[in-house]
Amino acid sequence: MTKAEAKQKARKRWLAQLKRNKWLYVLLAPGLLYFLIFKYAPMWGVVIAFQDYQPFLGIRDSQWVGFDNFTTFFQNPDFFRLLRNTLILAVYDLIFFFPAPILVALLLNEVTKSWFKRTIQTLVYVPHFVSMVIIASITYVFLTPNGGVLYELIAQVTGKPVDVLSNPDAFRPLIIIQMLWKEVGWGTIIFLAALAGVDMEQYEAAIVDGAGRMRRIWHITLPAIRNTIIILLILRLGNFMDTGFEQIYLMTNSLNRDVADVFDTYVYQVGITQGAFSYSTAVGLFKSLIGIVLILGANKLAKKFGHSGIY
């Protein structure tokens, strides 16, 4: 068989497979178009990070300035403050938020009453569908010095009023608490799905061998979801510098701004409100590059220790 005949045969086989699975490709098309239009096509705009972009000139005719925007950003007095605030929130996220869905999934997995388990699952899922604007509004209502319920309760317990909303030391714990309340339940879905595939005979054999509840969790449950945990951790590191613009922006005020400003809000301030499109794009690109380095490094490290990575 010649090379041309082999190529023609492979083409016919591909067309036959395409025809056989045509409806699957039709179902795939909307998702594929979404990523092409809203994820990949906008990547072309990254080039303005290396330009002095002028909207009336467009990308093609704007002047190229190389790495000047990055140099300006690194020399900006706000750089280290923004980096510190972003890193602290990101580390808090990994320490407190990432393990929380795992813990909740382990606890729900130990519940034997199905009606009680379903009720708890529903209660912890619901906050995910609540807008962050509403959550911020609820927070202000409860903690406002003008008659807030929690504000009055804290004042009675501590003997002095504590303005949490304007206290810089309380800003980061408040952000983490909001994230935990809103997203922990939703994060348990993947872990509960992984736990559903655990062979129940392993638990029965462990019980026969005299293993207690904690030993069963440590030696059976956690190993069953270990690969899932590692994959989600790697993906989480890819978004390590994404602290959540909407939440931070809504909870920022003039008194806590020194600890609240992060890269996401800074990009909005200089890019949208000040019109520094090239400069803000350079800041966003810097943040994205850190995420790429972290996700590649974490994946390589996971492979080195014998775990399955994301590729």
Side-chain angles (χ1 to χ4, degrees):
M1 182 183 295
T2 64
K3 186 176 181 180
E5 290 176 343
K7 187 175 181 181
Q8 186 177 9
K9 186 176 180 181
R11 184 173 179 273
K12 289 181 178 179
R13 186 165 57 249
W14 179 79
L15 289 174
Q17 183 184 17
L18 182 64
K19 184 177 181 180
R20 184 170 59 253
N21 300 319
K22 60 181 179 181
W23 294 115
L24 293 178
Y25 288 107
V26 170
L27 291 173
L28 177 65
L32 185 62
L33 287 174
Y34 168 79
F35 280 98
L36 288 175
I37 296 173
F38 296 103
K39 300 297 182 180
Y40 286 94
M43 286 185 180
W44 167 248
V46 169
V47 299
I48 71 173
F50 307 94
Q51 295 179 323
D52 180 15
Y53 175 71
Q54 302 297 327
F56 59 88
L57 293 177
I59 295 178
R60 187 184 299 271
D61 298 323
S62 293
Q63 181 183 0
W64 290 88
V65 296
F67 291 94
D68 288 356
N69 291 315
F70 294 92
T71 303
T72 302
F73 174 54
F74 295 144
Q75 293 177 348
N76 192 314
D78 290 330
F79 171 73
F80 287 104
R81 180 175 64 88
L82 294 169
L83 182 63
R84 183 187 70 245
N85 293 341
T86 303
L87 288 178
I88 290 176
L89 278 176
V91 171
Y92 279 8
D93 178 88
L94 281 181
I95 294 176
F96 298 105
F97 179 74
F98 181 77
I102 303 173
L103 179 61
V104 174
L106 293 176
L107 293 174
L108 288 174
N109 190 59
E110 296 299 316
V111 177
T112 56
K113 299 290 185 180
S114 59
W115 66 268
F116 183 71
K117 182 176 181 179
R118 288 196 301 268
T119 302
I120 297 299
Q121 283 178 309
T122 302
L123 291 175
V124 296
Y125 289 167
V126 167
H128 171 77
F129 301 99
V130 179
S131 169
M132 184 53 70
V133 177
I134 296 176
I135 292 177
S137 301
I138 294 173
T139 304
Y140 275 105
V141 168
F142 275 87
L143 294 174
T144 178
N146 299 321
V149 176
L150 290 180
Y151 177 85
E152 298 293 342
L153 181 62
I154 293 173
Q156 292 180 8
V157 172
T158 61
K160 60 179 181 179
V162 179
D163 190 358
V164 177
L165 295 176
S166 61
N167 185 358
D169 294 333
F171 176 78
R172 293 172 183 135
L174 185 61
I175 293 295
I176 297 301
I177 291 171
Q178 287 180 334
M179 291 175 60
L180 288 171
W181 182 74
K182 187 177 188 299
E183 298 295 346
V184 162
W186 188 254
T188 61
I189 293 176
I190 296 177
F191 297 110
L192 287 174
L195 289 172
V198 181
D199 188 0
M200 296 304 297
E201 292 183 358
Q202 296 184 36
Y203 290 109
E204 295 172 359
I207 293 173
V208 171
D209 291 339
R213 187 179 297 274
M214 294 304 298
R215 281 200 168 273
R216 295 198 299 270
I217 292 175
W218 183 257
H219 293 288
I220 299 176
T221 307
L222 284 177
I225 61 175
R226 181 175 55 193
N227 287 334
T228 304
I229 294 173
I230 292 173
I231 290 173
L232 290 179
L233 178 60
I234 294 173
L235 294 175
R236 193 76 181 180
L237 288 174
N239 297 320
F240 184 73
M241 304 295 284
D242 293 334
T243 52
F245 163 77
E246 185 180 16
Q247 182 186 16
I248 302 295
Y249 183 76
L250 291 170
M251 299 307 301
T252 300
N253 54 59
S254 58
L255 297 176
N256 62 18
R257 187 174 298 278
D258 189 55
V259 298
D261 279 340
V262 293
F263 287 137
D264 291 326
T265 57
Y266 185 70
V267 167
Y268 170 78
Q269 291 167 9
V270 299
I272 303 300
T273 63
Q274 300 177 20
F277 300 111
S278 294
Y279 179 74
S280 61
T281 303
V283 178
L285 184 58
F286 166 74
K287 188 188 73 170
S288 300
L289 288 176
I290 292 178
I292 293 174
V293 171
L294 287 174
I295 199 171
L296 292 177
N299 188 76
K300 186 175 182 179
L301 193 63
K303 291 276 191 179
K304 185 177 181 179
F305 284 95
H307 301 294
S308 59
I310 58 174
Y311 61 89

